[in-house]
Amino acid sequence: MQPYQTIILAVDLTEESNLIAERVRALIGSNPTDLHIVHVIEPLSFAYGGDVPMDLSSVQEQIQDQAKAHLNEFSRQLAVDASHQHLIFGRPENEIHRLAEEHDADLIIVGSHGRHGLALLLGSTANGVLHGAPCDVLAVRVGMA
Amino acid sequence: MQPYQTIILAVDLTEESNLIAERVRALIGSNPTDLHIVHVIEPLSFAYGGDVPMDLSSVQEQIQDQAKAHLNEFSRQLAVDASHQHLIFGRPENEIHRLAEEHDADLIIVGSHGRHGLALLLGSTANGVLHGAPCDVLAVRVGMA
């Protein structure tokens, strides 16, 4: 896939992410590509609208530890090392755009769920990623409706 | 772009379509690809909610003739012959999905207008194309916000 040198792959780390990994591998082929993998966690405080009580903090830490392990495992199958793995807290679309701008990416790849709309990442949608994206966006269809 | 054999390229035939053509050319490279180009015209009757009076019919014919000529001109730069040029009346997202299913396409490419959202084609948006797409969708960013 010649025209894309720097790719941001946003994954929700569900089983479907593995299908996306296969697609990405085929897309990139043997082309030299700077591939970044990002998983965005929405802070619980967003859902609760304020400070996170102590017990939720501990839940958050567990989520983070698990996500980090999953992200690492996922990234290994695409031979992406830790320097290109990004575990970020925030609004998925904002963080994905920010990361794309930071790395001057020319393509963002996200999963799409076909007829179910485009639920992806934690609580966000590919629509959000599309709107305001600083570059091209490839929505890879995973799962059937 | 190895994994995609059959591509539906949806264009609004504005000047920005030429930027998309360049991107598509780079994407396809020397890979054998079945490339279809589609331009969808929304019938005026949709806008007027009923039968089209005679004078609008004649406007519609002019629109169709112009669109056909532009589609042909556009397609030539991608070496796409008449059998793969599709001028269709209807709702853009519906017609693009239908065409993708009919030709068993594995990728739909549409233009995206960055921060302005994704206005594309006549009166439609890439969101509509994304939702319910039977395959992957690549939104190529054209123009600045």
Side-chain angles (χ1 to χ4, degrees):
Chain A
M1 194 158 64
Q2 298 303 340
Y4 299 117
Q5 265 93 48
T6 305
I7 297 177
I8 305 288
L9 170 60
V11 287
D12 63 1
L13 297 173
T14 59
E15 278 183 22
E16 289 170 342
S17 301
N18 294 322
L19 296 173
I20 300 180
E22 278 176 39
R23 184 63 50 90
V24 169
R25 210 177 353 240
L27 279 169
I28 291 176
S30 57
N31 294 313
T33 306
D34 201 26
L35 177 62
H36 294 263
I37 299 178
V38 58
H39 176 70
V40 183
I41 300 174
E42 288 198 90
L44 293 171
S45 57
F46 284 11
Y48 288 83
D51 290 337
V52 180
M54 203 53 116
D55 54 344
L56 278 182
S57 269
S58 124
V59 170
Q60 182 106 330
E61 262 177 41
Q62 283 179 37
I63 291 173
Q64 184 173 359
D65 289 347
Q66 277 203 347
K68 198 170 177 177
H70 286 159
L71 177 60
N72 194 280
E73 190 183 345
F74 176 83
S75 299
R76 262 187 286 143
Q77 65 180 302
L78 283 166
V80 168
D81 68 23
S83 73
H84 283 55
Q85 298 170 18
H86 308 272
L87 186 63
I88 302 176
F89 284 79
R91 297 269 180 224
E93 55 268 44
N94 296 352
E95 295 309 319
I96 291 166
H97 292 165
R98 197 185 51 71
L99 198 67
E101 277 166 16
E102 191 181 315
H103 293 280
D104 203 16
D106 38 27
L107 181 67
I108 295 168
I109 301 178
V110 293
S112 125
H113 289 270
R115 298 192 192 285
H116 279 167
L118 292 156
L120 92 161
L121 308 164
L122 291 170
S124 184
T125 71
N127 281 349
V129 174
L130 268 167
H131 282 252
C135 59
D136 291 3
V137 176
L138 174 65
V140 172
R141 184 148 188 261
V142 288
M144 291 299 292
Chain B
M1 194 156 66
Q2 297 304 340
Y4 300 118
Q5 265 93 47
T6 304
I7 298 176
I8 305 286
L9 169 59
V11 288
D12 62 2
L13 297 174
T14 59
E15 278 183 23
E16 289 170 341
S17 300
N18 295 321
L19 296 173
I20 300 180
E22 278 175 40
R23 183 65 48 91
V24 170
R25 211 178 351 241
L27 279 167
I28 292 177
S30 58
N31 294 314
T33 306
D34 200 25
L35 177 62
H36 293 263
I37 301 177
V38 58
H39 175 69
V40 183
I41 300 174
E42 289 198 89
L44 293 172
S45 57
F46 284 12
Y48 287 83
D51 290 337
V52 180
M54 202 53 115
D55 55 342
L56 278 182
S57 268
S58 124
V59 170
Q60 183 106 327
E61 261 178 42
Q62 282 178 37
I63 291 173
Q64 185 172 357
D65 289 346
Q66 278 202 344
K68 198 170 178 179
H70 287 160
L71 177 60
N72 193 281
E73 190 184 347
F74 176 84
S75 298
R76 261 187 285 144
Q77 66 181 302
L78 283 166
V80 168
D81 67 23
S83 72
H84 282 54
Q85 297 171 18
H86 307 272
L87 186 64
I88 301 176
F89 284 79
R91 297 271 180 224
E93 55 268 44
N94 296 353
E95 296 307 320
I96 292 167
H97 292 164
R98 196 185 53 68
L99 198 66
E101 279 166 16
E102 189 181 315
H103 293 279
D104 202 16
D106 38 28
L107 181 67
I108 295 168
I109 302 178
V110 292
S112 124
H113 288 268
R115 296 190 195 286
H116 279 168
L118 292 156
L120 92 159
L121 309 165
L122 289 171
S124 183
T125 71
N127 280 350
V129 175
L130 270 165
H131 283 253
C135 60
D136 291 2
V137 176
L138 174 64
V140 172
R141 185 152 187 259
V142 288
M144 292 299 292

